[in-house]
Amino acid sequence: MRVRTGIRVEGIVQGVGFRPFVHGLATALGLAGLVGNDAGGVFIEVEGEDDAVDRFLRGLRAPPPLAVIERITTRPLPAEGGGGFAIVGSDAGGRRSALVSFDSATCPACLRELRDPADRRHGYPFVNCTGCGPRFTIVTDVPYDRPNTTMAGFAMCADCAAEYHDPADRRFHAQPVCCPACGPRLVLRDREGRERAGEPIEEARALLRRGGIVAVKGLGGYHLAATAADRAAVAALRARKHREDKPFAVMAPDLPSVRLLADPEPAEETLLTSAARPIVLLRRRAGAPLAEAVAPGNRSIGVMLPYTPMHHLLVSEPLVMTSGNVSDEPIAYRDEDALTRLRDIADAFLTHDRPIHVRTDDSVVRVFRGREMPVRRSRGYVPRPLPVPAGGPAVLACGAELKNTFCLAEGGRAFVSHHIGDLENYETLRAFREGVGHFERLFAIAPAVLAHDLHPEYLSTKYAVERAEERELPLIGVQHHHAHIAACLADNGHAGPVIGVAFDGTGYGADGTLWGGEFLLADLTGFQRAGHLRPVPLPGGATAIREPWRMAAAYGVPATLAVARRNAAMWDQVVAVGRAGLGAPPTSSVGRLFDAVAAVLGVRDRINYEGQAAVELEQRADPWERSAYPVRLEDAGDGGPSFVVPGAELVQAVVDDLLAGTSVPAIAGRFHNAVGDLVVAGAVRLREATGLTTVALSGGVFQNLLLLERAVTGLEAAGFAVLVHHRVPPNDGGISLGQAAVAIARAATEPAGPTS
């Protein structure tokens, strides 16, 4: 029996070769009909024998590699007769719900062309097809067609147009399709912007070999490149960039080169070679051919593989490939801006004339127990949506101040933005505002509710308040650590309730103090603070975050210790400030506890990047140490299960061991084990009171894999199910997803208000 069926496919199905795939599948089955793009995804009509239509529908479930199908719906249509299957023009009308693909690493077929002297794209640094290449960073609007990308200014030559219009070609409707005759052009410029003579890649490689620094325009912005084994070049890059200690990422040409630098596990190699091509944090190999200044004092190294054809042509040995900015600034992505901001750092600029529409940093991931754990979710992952509870209003969640992302959520989908950065200057705030506007247009989401952090001075909070007033929209304030736990719940598709453990540097508490060592009884709608680290002063406020020795003073360590002698000029004054409480707000932060211990052990008195003291303390810890300092939970005196943890006792145990001559690695290992035991002890106490058996771990402190392993192992041994992050970071980069999930859940149960 002959039937005709209308089909709608939703998901990431534009710009990934889905229409050619449909055309090939229908043609092979002898079906008539059509396929096209519209604002909602892909629409299909197929006509033929009913069993062939059934086979077609089953075949749709095995799409091209970059496609992600969320939903397929069908409806019967009257048969029309006729034959042939056509790909029709895109329909830009209707409500936009189509998904935009992420930027994808160069595929094997394009690499073969790049390296084939007989191919017309041999050595062309912009080769791409429907299976790879730029997507999110060049899209200006939907539907995803060439006029709505930054390739709009490049008219296709006859050869490229023939490929583009041939359903049998893998470049059929590949929107960035181009070649040397019609596509973007690579140039090497000097510091003044003048084009240098010679073949750009060869000249750039020669400059790198001579110890030069080259600004390289990638998919989402500029990198600064230097030969990773060249001590003088890496030192010069650090000096010019004003980046004293924070590790640089390295781009290696291939997996064998990676294995000379590090000891990757199979799961890490899978991530390195994935279409997303993130930076993967690996265990550094002893004697690796790297300048020490690449990652000073660090047992780990961040490594990525080439993800554009230009990278494949340029990188013949490991190169430092770090963000194109001066320390603490956003990454440069506009050409004139890059020439202005980077001219005192780079000796030359390897650039091109294809505009970048959205600045997008490299993603950074770690592997924990064989699963991915993002540290920064950006290029290669964004804007793929994450699931959240369906229903409720459209939400804009504005995120935190540091490691900012924002999140737009509607209809069960949450679009967490690319990494924006720290909202500390005009340029980053502008990137935040522009990003929000772009996402709203791209996904046709008009927020009906704004979610924000409780901290009144966060620029993201101020943006939410100002916008709510301008448009008369309701606000939902979400406590920082509740947002952390909610992000972990959303990350794992869990609604709660759970025992949430949120350990981080600082977050604005519901009582107006600085929290950071929290045990919460939480679901998506609310939380109860059930345990926390006993607050101590933060002497000098933000200054204490930059100077961890102040936390040693706040925790009352003896003035006879080396840390006090090293900081004798200010020690007594800081102790007095802490005791007086003026300019020393109380904090329950576990991050600051790590700072105190790092300072006591002589690891770090002052930091040059966020979390440095804790990172270096983890690096110094003996992973084979199995003993731990005792932890104690004091009853909070509220008649319930709530407790307070006297962190000063852990610091005193560290001091006692240090004075007894115990090695720093052993002490650091025992301290990590003690904090892991603390997580378990707090969870057991709360389980006894509530019956809850699931624990969610979130907050930047849980990026520490030694601590995370100790905590998860202990919790599982105690019979808990444990939720950890694997799709958004545990740090503040995941806060916006948590805010969105809370806002959706609350909107379903209570009216939002201006101060809710």
Side-chain angles (χ1 to χ4, degrees):
M1 182 174 126
R2 189 173 180 87
V3 297
R4 188 177 186 89
T5 301
I7 305 164
R8 170 155 295 284
V9 185
E10 298 171 73
I12 301 176
V13 289
Q14 295 187 8
V16 291
F18 195 77
R19 287 178 298 170
F21 158 73
V22 169
H23 182 277
L25 180 61
T27 302
L29 292 169
L31 297 172
L34 56 88
V35 61
N37 281 346
D38 64 14
V42 167
F43 59 90
I44 306 168
E45 294 182 14
V46 289
E47 183 171 334
E49 293 302 313
D50 53 2
D51 62 333
V53 172
D54 287 341
R55 290 200 300 274
F56 176 85
L57 290 171
R58 290 194 297 271
L60 286 180
R61 296 292 180 180
L66 297 185
V68 179
I69 293 178
E70 286 191 345
R71 187 181 299 110
I72 297 176
T73 54
T74 64
R75 60 190 175 93
L77 296 172
E80 298 179 0
F85 193 91
I87 296 179
V88 299
S90 297
D91 178 5
R95 187 181 185 281
R96 299 179 189 176
S97 59
L99 301 183
V100 176
S101 178
F102 51 83
D103 301 283
S104 178
T106 311
C107 71
C110 284
L111 279 179
R112 285 193 294 271
E113 293 175 341
L114 184 72
R115 293 164 176 162
D116 181 1
D119 193 278
R120 73 187 186 92
R121 292 186 174 88
H122 174 244
Y124 183 56
F126 305 97
V127 56
N128 67 85
C129 69
T130 54
C132 68
R135 297 291 190 275
F136 173 64
T137 51
I138 65 169
V139 173
T140 60
D141 207 343
V142 292
Y144 175 65
D145 287 323
R146 194 177 182 101
N148 292 330
T149 74
T150 61
M151 286 295 295
F154 298 92
M156 283 183 279
C157 66
D159 288 338
C160 285
E163 294 170 330
Y164 183 87
H165 292 292
D166 180 2
D169 196 284
R170 80 174 200 281
R171 291 193 170 89
F172 179 69
H173 283 239
Q175 306 308 333
V177 64
C178 57
C179 73
C182 65
R185 175 174 170 265
L186 195 68
V187 297
L188 187 68
R189 300 188 184 278
D190 64 18
R191 287 177 167 176
E192 304 305 317
R194 296 182 294 253
E195 187 171 340
R196 294 175 55 149
E199 200 285 319
I201 292 286
E202 291 180 3
E203 292 299 315
R205 289 173 66 170
L207 180 57
L208 289 165
R209 285 194 297 269
R210 294 195 300 270
I213 297 168
V214 178
V216 179
K217 186 178 180 181
L219 277 181
Y222 278 80
H223 289 104
L224 292 164
T227 301
D230 188 326
R231 289 181 294 177
V234 177
L237 178 55
R238 282 210 176 274
R240 296 182 195 177
K241 190 174 159 71
H242 304 297
R243 182 162 165 171
E244 297 180 54
D245 300 305
K246 193 172 183 179
F248 287 141
V250 171
M251 182 176 282
D254 48 34
L255 272 179
S257 299
V258 173
R259 294 178 188 129
L260 295 176
L261 306 177
D263 295 305
E265 298 174 353
E268 293 167 334
E269 293 193 356
T270 297
L271 281 169
L272 283 166
T273 56
S274 69
R277 286 293 202 280
I279 297 169
V280 183
L281 300 182
L282 306 174
R283 289 168 306 285
R284 186 172 180 170
R285 179 182 284 273
L290 293 170
E292 177 58 30
V294 170
N298 204 309
R299 292 197 299 234
S300 298
I301 184 74
V303 183
M304 59 181 157
L305 291 177
Y307 54 85
T308 70
M310 180 182 62
H311 291 140
H312 284 281
L313 295 170
L314 177 68
V315 183
S316 58
E317 59 183 320
L319 299 179
V320 164
M321 198 72 77
T322 189
S323 299
N325 58 3
V326 180
S327 186
D328 297 328
E329 291 183 355
I331 185 174
Y333 73 108
R334 294 188 176 104
D335 298 334
E336 290 303 318
D337 179 54
L339 283 166
T340 300
R341 288 168 54 199
L342 305 180
R343 67 193 309 165
D344 293 331
I345 304 176
D347 299 304
F349 292 76
L350 185 61
T351 186
H352 56 79
D353 53 353
R354 183 182 69 205
I356 297 169
H357 186 67
V358 180
R359 168 175 34 218
T360 312
D361 293 80
D362 293 317
S363 295
V364 182
V365 302
R366 303 187 84 161
V367 170
F368 176 69
R369 294 190 170 188
R371 296 188 74 190
E372 183 175 13
M373 187 180 79
V375 174
R376 183 170 71 200
R377 181 181 182 270
S378 205
R379 178 194 51 77
Y381 294 86
V382 175
R384 183 169 179 171
L386 302 173
V388 290
V395 174
L396 168 61
C398 296
E401 185 87 342
L402 302 181
K403 298 181 174 64
N404 177 268
T405 63
F406 61 85
C407 176
L408 277 169
E410 185 178 35
R413 291 171 170 170
F415 298 92
V416 178
S417 77
H418 49 297
H419 171 78
I420 303 296
D422 298 348
L423 299 183
E424 297 179 329
N425 55 54
Y426 170 76
E427 182 65 22
T428 315
L429 182 61
R430 185 177 73 174
F432 171 87
R433 291 177 177 271
E434 290 175 350
V436 169
H438 183 54
F439 268 55
E440 289 177 351
R441 290 189 300 273
L442 208 57
F443 303 113
I445 296 176
V449 173
L450 301 177
H452 61 88
D453 194 274
L454 295 183
H455 199 303
E457 295 304 314
Y458 279 3
L459 294 181
S460 55
T461 300
K462 291 183 176 182
Y463 170 86
V465 172
E466 291 170 6
R467 182 163 177 179
E469 291 175 349
E470 289 172 1
R471 305 194 184 186
E472 297 184 349
L473 295 176
L475 287 167
I476 291 182
V478 183
Q479 197 279 323
H480 190 88
H481 300 92
H482 183 211
H484 270 310
I485 300 305
C488 189
L489 292 176
D491 198 337
N492 288 276
H494 198 295
V498 296
I499 298 166
V501 184
F503 286 176
D504 64 2
T506 54
Y508 196 81
D511 60 0
T513 65
L514 300 177
W515 292 5
E518 311 307 312
F519 290 79
L520 310 179
L521 302 175
D523 59 15
L524 292 179
T525 60
F527 73 96
Q528 174 190 343
R529 191 188 195 197
H532 58 88
L533 210 63
R534 174 174 289 152
V536 297
L538 189 67
T543 304
I545 299 173
R546 297 189 296 270
E547 299 180 2
W549 69 268
R550 290 172 177 256
M551 293 311 303
Y555 268 103
V557 305
T560 54
L561 289 184
V563 62
R565 295 196 300 272
R566 292 194 302 269
N567 299 281
M570 292 285 292
W571 186 266
D572 290 342
Q573 179 181 338
V574 166
V575 170
V577 166
R579 288 174 178 166
L582 296 174
T587 180
S588 59
S589 167
V590 169
R592 303 290 78 82
L593 175 66
F594 270 80
D595 284 353
V597 172
V600 167
L601 296 182
V603 173
R604 176 67 54 177
D605 282 358
R606 292 167 178 80
I607 64 169
N608 297 310
Y609 62 88
E610 186 197 6
Q612 182 179 8
V615 168
E616 294 183 357
L617 184 64
E618 179 189 2
Q619 298 292 326
R620 295 289 295 275
D622 179 359
W624 303 109
E625 178 64 47
R626 287 296 178 262
S627 61
Y629 302 122
V631 295
R632 191 166 59 87
L633 310 182
E634 291 184 354
D635 190 85
D638 59 1
S642 299
F643 59 88
V644 178
V645 181
E649 293 181 1
L650 287 176
V651 176
Q652 186 59 51
V654 166
V655 170
D656 291 344
D657 246 0
L658 184 66
L659 294 176
T662 306
S663 71
V664 168
I667 296 173
R670 292 172 186 177
F671 172 71
H672 278 79
N673 296 343
V675 179
D677 289 349
L678 167 60
V679 172
V680 178
V684 168
R685 176 174 174 131
L686 296 177
R687 179 175 60 188
E688 291 171 352
T690 66
L692 294 174
T693 58
T694 300
V695 178
L697 304 177
S698 192
V701 169
F702 286 113
Q703 291 175 157
N704 181 321
L705 291 193
L706 178 58
L707 171 61
L708 187 63
E709 177 61 44
R710 295 292 188 262
V712 173
T713 298
L715 288 167
E716 289 178 342
F720 288 97
V722 186
L723 306 179
V724 298
H725 287 267
H726 62 96
R727 289 188 287 195
V728 295
N731 61 41
D732 283 6
I735 284 284
S736 65
L737 176 63
Q739 291 173 345
V742 170
I744 292 168
R746 285 190 189 168
T749 59
E750 61 185 44
T755 59
S756 62

